[in-house]
Amino acid sequence: PVVGGDFVVVTDSAGRLLTTTVAQGRPVALASVTPTLARSTARHTARGTVQHGRYDGASRLVVLQRNASRLAWETTVVGTRAGEASRLTVYVDAHSGRVLSTREHVMEGTGSSAWAGTVSIPTSGSGTSYSMTNANASTLKCQNASGNVTFTGTDDSWGNGDATNRETGCVDAFYAAEQERQMLSTWLGRSGMDGSGGWVPIRVGLNDVNAYYDGTQVQIGHTQTGGKWIGSIDVVAHEFGHGVDDHTPGGISGAGTQEFVADTFGAATEWYANNGTDRPDYTVGEQVNLVGSGPIRYMYNPSLAGDANCYSSSTPTSEVHSAAGPGNHWFYLLA
Ligand SMILES: [Ca+2]
Ligand SMILES: [Ca+2]
Ligand SMILES: [Zn+2]
């Protein structure tokens, strides 16, 4: 087989030739089609181009036709590159053993989010069948809360920027969760929400002015007016922050500390994402404007929302979100 020497032939419904396109104008020119590099050596080289690599099928001898013709071993390997899932086809020169070319098969989808602009999201699938299942973490999915069905599509383009649309809500939430996954891995050396690569599904469509984590899912509700799904970075990463906390020794933190712990994961994820639309800050919910009065918490000055800046004897008995004030303030000063 010749790789890079494709012909496109267009016919009408009766099979009559309409037009042809030739991708490669240069003739194939090879002195020999007998390799001097062993197949096993080429396979080993190919596997070394990814981390934690394994082979995906057999290798075949091909002519790699670019500016010149080269005899090459074609091998597909599965692993990770820079922490991201990879399924890579690698062409190794069948004489010199050099890597001539690679082709990545794991593609990032594109989403039109409501709160974070146009974003790349690591969905799963190929051809005409895609789903909002994270290619880097298969238990991280985004679903419609009605029926708990994972969003699917015939292309890898998601949402429409309208915050009242559930698929758009999933673009926001899925993007936020992926940024948190990367933040946990890159900054904290942690694999996934549970520390072993595991997550719970996100479900957009909760009929409440709220979002929550319950150990089995993250539910995303809507704004008080306008029915906008509230899957911004700080909200979603807050909920999965509860999930991280839930998978630490001793389980989820006690009442007075659980909300500030979750807020720190929200803020850290926002700073990691460094998104051009949802700029990093130390406020909670500034994008979604949950109840129409801007952020619901101010980590740099909790008193702006009526919460305490510093610890007092009344902190342990405060409402759990209000009790986050001293911890949030501490985190801001530390950060
Ligand atoms: Ca922000
Ligand atoms: Ca924020
Ligand atoms: Zn919370």
Side-chain angles (χ1 to χ4, degrees):
V2 177
V3 174
D6 314 289
F7 291 88
V8 176
V9 179
V10 181
T11 70
D12 64 14
S13 57
R16 282 183 295 259
L17 182 66
L18 295 177
T19 183
T20 63
T21 306
V22 181
Q24 176 59 262
R26 292 181 180 78
V28 173
L30 270 186
S32 161
V33 291
T34 305
T36 53
L37 183 81
R39 179 194 302 253
S40 58
T41 306
R43 280 174 75 75
H44 192 258
T45 298
R47 196 175 62 177
T49 60
V50 297
Q51 284 84 51
H52 314 293
R54 59 185 170 79
Y55 300 117
D56 184 12
S59 300
R60 64 176 186 164
L61 194 62
V62 301
V63 177
L64 186 66
Q65 183 72 6
R66 298 281 191 258
N67 292 326
S69 307
R70 303 244 184 243
L71 192 66
W73 288 108
E74 179 194 75
T75 305
T76 298
V77 293
V78 174
T80 61
R81 298 166 80 198
E84 304 283 316
S86 175
R87 182 167 171 268
L88 195 69
T89 296
V90 183
Y91 297 92
V92 175
D93 191 302
H95 298 294
S96 73
R98 275 196 313 127
V99 175
L100 296 170
S101 178
T102 62
R103 177 175 289 192
E104 180 59 72
H105 301 282
V106 174
M107 297 297 158
E108 298 238 310
T110 301
S112 297
S113 79
W115 310 118
T118 300
V119 293
S120 288
I121 46 176
T123 51
S124 299
S126 62
T128 56
S129 174
Y130 293 88
S131 89
M132 275 205 183
T133 300
N134 192 303
N136 307 310
S138 62
T139 51
L140 181 50
K141 305 164 187 289
C142 200
Q143 304 181 329
N144 188 330
S146 302
N148 299 341
V149 178
T150 303
F151 279 95
T152 58
T154 55
D155 62 26
D156 210 1
S157 177
W158 307 87
N160 61 6
D162 174 358
T164 65
N165 175 280
R166 290 189 189 205
E167 185 176 300
T168 301
C170 261
V171 171
D172 282 286
F174 195 90
Y175 165 73
E178 168 62 10
Q179 293 301 308
E180 187 164 27
R181 188 197 68 78
Q182 292 185 21
M183 186 278 290
L184 292 171
S185 171
T186 305
W187 285 357
L188 305 178
R190 183 181 178 88
S191 176
M193 182 193 80
D194 71 359
S196 304
W199 296 77
V200 292
I202 307 162
R203 292 171 178 152
V204 172
L206 172 68
N207 186 22
D208 194 8
V209 184
N210 196 10
Y212 66 80
Y213 162 86
D214 71 357
T216 67
Q217 60 182 338
V218 166
Q219 282 269 348
I220 303 292
H222 57 77
T223 53
Q224 188 163 297
T225 56
K228 298 175 179 177
W229 305 115
I230 58 170
S232 63
I233 300 172
D234 50 11
V235 171
V236 174
H238 169 108
E239 299 309 336
F240 279 115
H242 284 310
V244 172
D245 191 18
D246 198 16
H247 289 85
T248 53
I252 206 156
S253 296
T257 51
Q258 69 181 48
E259 296 307 325
F260 111 73
V261 168
D263 278 349
T264 63
F265 282 97
T269 301
E270 229 180 82
W271 282 88
Y272 176 86
N274 197 22
N275 181 279
T277 300
D278 182 357
R279 299 299 303 158
D281 50 53
Y282 292 96
T283 55
V284 179
E286 71 285 346
Q287 291 295 106
V288 301
N289 193 11
L290 184 69
V291 293
S293 54
I296 54 173
R297 288 187 291 283
Y298 296 81
M299 301 176 80
Y300 64 91
N301 184 1
S303 69
L304 292 175
D307 303 331
N309 282 7
C310 298
Y311 186 86
S312 74
S313 59
S314 64
T315 303
T317 54
S318 299
E319 188 275 330
V320 291
H321 296 90
S322 186
N328 276 347
H329 191 201
W330 167 83
F331 178 78
Y332 164 73
L333 295 173
L334 197 68

